[in-house]
Amino acid sequence: MTSTYKDGVLAITLGDKVCKYAVTDMKPDKRVADRAFRLWKADDTFEDISQDRYGPSCTCGAFCFKNYDGKHCKHIQAGIAHGLLTARTK
């Protein structure tokens, strides 16, 4: 997986498939999350990524159903790589 973040657009490449997302800062209430972003695709679907005291999270199926052994989905990996989120520290 590779990713780029420029001018508010996050592009995630897996193999020969590129998914582009327009990134919107959700400005969350600090009691809920430290950071939160909505990643909009061109077809008006989206994923939400956020950071709280326990670490990053995402609304995608890969995070919700396949997040095991501390591995993150592509949205969180790209968010961490470009400074939108931080990796959880122990």
Side-chain angles (χ1 to χ4, degrees), residues 65-81:
F65 302 109
K66 298 179 184 176
N67 184 25
Y68 51 89
D69 296 331
K71 296 179 183 175
H72 296 299
C73 67
K74 65 183 181 182
H75 308 104
I76 291 177
Q77 289 179 38
I80 291 169

Side-chain angles (χ1 to χ4, degrees), residues 5-89:
Y5 182 57
K6 184 177 180 183
D7 298 327
V9 176
L10 181 65
I12 301 173
T13 304
L14 288 169
D16 61 352
K17 184 178 178 185
V18 178
C19 293
K20 292 185 179 181
Y21 302 89
V23 179
T24 303
D25 187 344
M26 294 171 58
K27 297 180 179 30
D29 184 313
K30 298 301 180 191
R31 294 172 291 181
V32 177
D34 297 320
R35 301 174 182 180
F37 299 91
R38 181 155 286 168
L39 309 180
W40 288 97
K41 289 176 76 173
D43 64 1
D44 278 343
T45 60
F46 61 88
E47 303 299 347
D48 291 336
I49 58 173
S50 62
Q51 177 85 43
D52 64 19
R53 65 182 176 165
Y54 301 108
S57 64
C58 184
T59 58
C60 75
F63 180 82
C64 295
F65 302 109
K66 298 179 184 176
N67 184 25
Y68 51 89
D69 296 331
K71 296 179 183 175
H72 296 299
C73 67
K74 65 183 181 182
H75 308 104
I76 291 177
Q77 289 179 38
I80 291 169
H82 299 287
L84 300 173
L85 305 175
T86 58
R88 185 170 93 181
T89 57

